[in-house]
Amino acid sequence: MEAMEHQPVPPPAPVPTTVLWDIDGTLVRNAASPGNLYHLALERALGRDLPLLVGHQHGRTDAGIIVEHVRAHHLEDDLVPTVSGHLRDLSEERHRSGDRRTPAPGAIDLVRRFASLGWRNGLLTGNSAHRARIKLLGAGFDVDAFDWDHSYFGDEQVERSGVTALAAAALGGTRAVIVGDTPRDGEAADAVGIPFLAVATGVYDVDALRATSAVAVARDCVADASLIENAIAELAPLA
């Protein structure tokens, strides 16, 4: 009886890797007046001028900032969808008027680099998908470089952890990381067990971001491009 030949066992398929990029302060430089559009959207919804009562808090979602503005003026939450619609319109109007954002150093090249590795470039942002597209287009990104089916948005989530929960539910068993520039990004990642990688291209410096749970803290996507890539490559899949 002939001995059965043992067929080689094929190696396991590589685990998909999804890099979930924040936008403001991470892929693009923060706006000079990051909070004023929310206030203007509320004024447009009411048809009158209002005192500015809320300062911008970096790392918040669109929905969370709008709710805070509405409640600061003792208005009802049912106004929030109307304000959100005006925020979208104002963003579109500014884009058409030539208002453009600046890409963070090295971000465009690192998105391309990750794509060449076969990694998915997704988004995890407090903005809506529409506002995300406008900001990225205005900063010179190829929006088709991002996987919009594996991107998560904050126009309907008051807390950023609500956005990260959507990502965790969709990406379980694969490798994923959230790249952001604020401690809020890290806290929202921690809440659902997704690793956080910090870049100091927003309002927080390296020392402040080292106080977070970040698996690595990069100065930017030029000086520390290899640090970012290597840290992501070493991550284990999500539970």
Side-chain angles (χ1 to χ4, degrees):
M1 186 173 179
E2 294 184 5
M4 294 180 62
E5 292 186 8
H6 292 283
Q7 297 296 323
V9 177
V15 176
T17 298
T18 305
V19 183
L20 297 170
W21 293 93
D22 172 54
I23 295 180
D24 294 296
T26 301
L27 287 175
V28 304
R29 291 291 198 185
N30 283 314
S33 302
N36 69 335
L37 274 191
Y38 302 95
H39 179 71
L40 292 173
L42 179 58
E43 288 185 328
R44 184 174 286 190
L46 294 174
R48 66 177 190 272
D49 292 340
L50 294 169
L52 179 60
L53 301 179
V54 178
H56 184 65
Q57 298 180 46
H58 294 274
R60 297 289 303 280
T61 66
D62 282 356
I65 296 171
I66 290 171
V67 166
E68 189 171 4
H69 276 267
V70 166
R71 292 177 181 174
H73 289 277
H74 306 289
L75 300 167
E76 298 298 324
D77 284 359
D78 58 9
L79 187 62
V80 170
T82 302
V83 179
S84 181
H86 287 303
L87 178 65
R88 174 189 172 112
D89 293 343
L90 284 164
S91 299
E92 183 74 36
E93 289 165 18
R94 287 202 173 183
H95 179 71
R96 290 178 178 174
S97 70
D99 185 33
R100 296 291 185 267
R101 302 292 286 274
T102 302
I108 291 176
D109 288 339
L110 201 53
V111 167
R112 290 176 181 149
R113 168 63 181 167
F114 290 169
S116 76
L117 295 173
W119 296 355
R120 291 190 296 227
N121 287 292
L123 299 167
L124 195 146
T125 171
N127 298 150
S128 66
H130 184 74
R131 295 189 72 217
R133 285 182 182 273
I134 287 174
K135 289 181 180 183
L136 293 171
L137 280 170
F141 285 86
D142 175 7
V143 294
D144 292 331
F146 295 92
D147 186 331
W148 294 86
D149 291 329
H150 293 89
S151 294
Y152 308 91
F153 304 98
D155 50 322
E156 296 182 356
Q157 299 290 333
V158 172
E159 299 298 335
R160 199 174 187 94
S161 58
V163 188
T164 55
L166 295 173
L171 298 173
T174 69
R175 185 165 57 184
V177 62
I178 291 170
V179 182
D181 67 299
T182 76
R184 285 185 186 272
D185 297 318
E187 291 164 4
D190 294 345
V192 298
I194 300 178
F196 170 55
L197 194 152
V199 290
T201 45
V203 297
Y204 293 91
D205 62 18
V206 167
D207 288 339
L209 292 169
R210 281 182 177 148
T212 70
S213 66
V215 296
V217 178
R219 290 163 292 178
D220 58 42
C221 293
V222 176
D224 291 324
S226 294
L227 171 72
I228 296 170
E229 181 178 324
N230 293 337
I232 296 172
E234 292 172 1
L235 293 174
L238 302 179

